[in-house]
Amino acid sequence: MTIYNFYAGPAMLPVEVMAKAKEEFTNYKGTQMSIMEIFHRGVHFTSLLAKAEKDLVKLLEIPENYSVIFFPAGATLQFSAIPLNLLQGNETADYAITGVWSKKAYDEAKRFFKVNVISDCQDNNYTKVKPLDDSMISENAKYAYITTNNTIYGTRYKSIPRITKAPLIADMTSELLSRKINVKDYGLIFAGAQKNIGPSGVTIVIIRKDLLEKDKNPVPVLLDYRIMAESKSLYNTPPTYPIYMAGLVFEWLLQRGGIEEMEKINEEKASLLYDFIDASKLYHAPVDKESRSIMNVVFWLRNKDLEKKFTEESTIAGLIGLEGYRTVGGFRASIYNAMPIQGVINLIGFMQEFEKKYL
Ligand code: PMP
């Protein structure tokens, strides 16, 4: 039986990438060593890092006035790095709260600076993202912060707010590489790897170069965007294996026609699932149609008593990791780039059978 992994992250990686990593695991390019065992300043790793960056630039069409940094650790570290690098003294910034992760980013910035909430979706239980525009941006804001896809609630900005009054900073952890974006619309984009990019342990930061020049108070060295950009992600020993895996994922994406192709498939997978849920009597998708994520499909069972059975039986059917986030409940199917359409077809097949059996 084929197992399909719907975890929100760490999440499924493309089978072809896993096969390549397995093939090279103990003998990277004839070295008789794993890439994990190889010096990070030697030719093997530095060329791998340069290739990974080049492929990412190609995939996202990153303009020349942006730097790409492979940061150690998870996306949460950026919640601190962003205000510490971009604010000082009494300077302020604006945050749009669309879910758990943007709230966490705001709470972290608030520990150091006086920052503003310019929009909060709590009043709709985070089932809809509210539109944002320049008129909402504070006069003196040094940046405006958004989370483009809300992993936990399964919402996203279908079209990204056009903000020109302040640099737009975007947490794209759960959707980078899944849909087309215009990098030039942002001051900074970041994404933890463990959804669409690779294993956990590395976070990608794409930052407009003028933001590196901003005066600031001293920042811990590993959080300093300028230092990290100047050292080309090699200030210290980087997470070499996650970067290697991310590089394989970028190659995989390029071989498949890049992000435009991926986006088409992702839209198709998500539509199949949402259409099925909307037509069913047992399942319910709580998210407003215009705000529905194509990466994280959240759904409930109208009969809550069946939840335990649904978890047990879906697991037996080889459909793993469908439980909703611990504070939200219900169910969530994370269908990132690596999830083949067949995984979604199998999930719908199972849900159909389950509904027939119990309703
Ligand atoms: N932002 C978003 C949108 C996320 O989904 C997550 C984790 N799932 C994070 C930030 C935090 O990532 P990490 O655990 O890598 O710090």
Side-chain angles (χ1 to χ4, degrees):
M1 179 173 65
T2 309
I3 300 288
Y4 288 104
N5 164 3
F6 293 90
Y7 282 121
M12 176 172 187
L13 287 164
V15 283
E16 296 84 357
V17 165
M18 296 296 277
K20 177 95 196 275
K22 181 180 172 192
E23 187 191 307
E24 295 185 328
F25 194 65
T26 54
N27 185 6
Y28 180 72
K29 295 200 191 293
T31 56
Q32 309 271 333
M33 291 178 281
S34 171
I35 187 66
M36 264 192 282
E37 304 171 296
I38 293 177
F39 177 49
H40 60 288
R41 297 190 196 277
V43 65
H44 287 294
F45 186 76
T46 51
S47 37
L48 178 164
L49 179 64
K51 166 88 167 39
E53 182 176 328
K54 203 167 137 231
D55 286 349
L56 185 66
V57 166
K58 196 164 168 188
L59 281 165
L60 291 172
E61 296 172 27
I62 301 175
E64 280 198 2
N65 61 327
Y66 285 76
S67 290
V68 174
I69 311 171
F70 291 86
F71 252 86
T76 304
L77 195 65
Q78 302 307 315
F79 299 170
S80 325
I82 289 161
L84 289 173
N85 280 274
L86 302 182
L87 299 178
Q88 61 175 345
N90 290 328
E91 287 178 350
T92 190
D94 288 349
Y95 281 72
I97 313 289
T98 50
V100 172
W101 300 110
S102 40
K103 173 73 167 62
K104 286 198 170 175
Y106 165 73
D107 286 342
E108 178 64 1
K110 207 170 57 161
R111 293 176 62 219
F112 302 100
F113 299 97
K114 212 175 155 304
V115 285
N116 317 305
V117 173
I118 50 162
S119 161
D120 192 335
C121 301
Q122 196 175 17
D123 55 5
N124 64 41
N125 289 323
Y126 301 105
T127 54
K128 187 177 178 170
V129 293
K130 296 180 183 172
L132 270 190
D133 62 54
D134 268 343
S135 71
M136 299 162 75
I137 306 298
S138 311
E139 237 10 87
N140 49 357
K142 294 290 169 203
Y143 62 84
Y145 182 102
I146 60 170
T147 307
T148 55
N149 183 78
N150 300 286
T151 327
I152 293 173
Y153 294 104
T155 61
R156 68 160 181 169
Y157 288 104
K158 192 169 180 185
S159 46
I160 302 290
R162 271 296 283 155
I163 303 293
T164 57
K165 250 174 96 175
L168 186 61
I169 311 286
D171 176 356
M172 294 198 185
T173 294
S174 45
E175 71 163 13
L176 189 69
L177 303 177
S178 72
R179 73 195 279 203
K180 196 135 176 61
I181 57 166
N182 280 325
V183 173
K184 66 173 175 37
D185 294 341
Y186 303 85
L188 186 154
I189 295 168
F190 71 98
Q194 64 270 20
K195 283 93 162 70
N196 272 321
I197 298 166
S200 59
V202 66
T203 293
I204 287 170
V205 172
I206 303 163
I207 181 168
R208 212 174 61 210
K209 286 180 181 164
D210 61 288
L211 294 175
L212 298 170
E213 302 310 322
K214 193 184 173 304
D215 285 338
K216 58 176 188 269
N217 292 325
V219 167
V221 66
L222 279 183
L223 292 183
D224 190 314
Y225 288 142
R226 196 182 311 157
I227 293 174
M228 292 299 277
E230 276 169 5
S231 59
K232 301 208 170 302
S233 312
L234 283 170
Y235 180 81
N236 72 330
T237 315
T240 53
Y241 203 75
I243 293 174
Y244 158 75
M245 289 294 286
L248 293 186
V249 170
F250 301 157
E251 281 174 10
W252 178 84
L253 282 168
L254 285 167
Q255 281 158 11
R256 268 159 188 71
I259 292 179
E260 238 159 287
E261 277 311 301
M262 268 298 141
E263 184 170 13
K264 272 189 224 151
I265 301 169
N266 288 332
E267 291 278 359
E268 190 185 340
K269 287 186 296 188
S271 302
L272 277 176
L273 193 46
Y274 282 120
D275 288 351
F276 166 73
I277 292 170
D278 287 341
S280 97
K281 291 202 173 60
L282 176 60
Y283 308 103
H284 168 64
V287 172
D288 181 83
K289 283 195 176 156
E290 280 304 296
S291 296
R292 284 178 174 178
S293 167
I294 61 166
M295 294 282 97
N296 309 100
V297 177
V298 167
F299 60 95
W300 301 340
L301 302 195
R302 291 187 195 274
N303 177 355
K304 277 196 161 294
D305 296 341
L306 290 173
E307 283 188 350
K308 198 162 164 272
K309 269 203 175 68
F310 186 90
T311 304
E312 280 165 10
E313 294 190 18
S314 56
T315 306
I316 293 167
L319 307 163
I320 313 295
L322 288 165
E323 301 85 354
Y325 190 70
R326 55 198 149 87
T327 56
V328 175
F331 296 91
R332 170 179 53 176
S334 294
I335 48 174
Y336 300 118
N337 286 345
M339 174 62 65
I341 204 149
Q342 191 58 47
V344 175
I345 293 170
N346 283 20
L347 174 60
I348 293 172
F350 165 79
M351 288 169 78
Q352 236 160 3
E353 285 302 308
F354 188 87
E355 181 168 353
K356 255 196 236 150
K357 195 159 137 193
Y358 293 107
L359 209 72

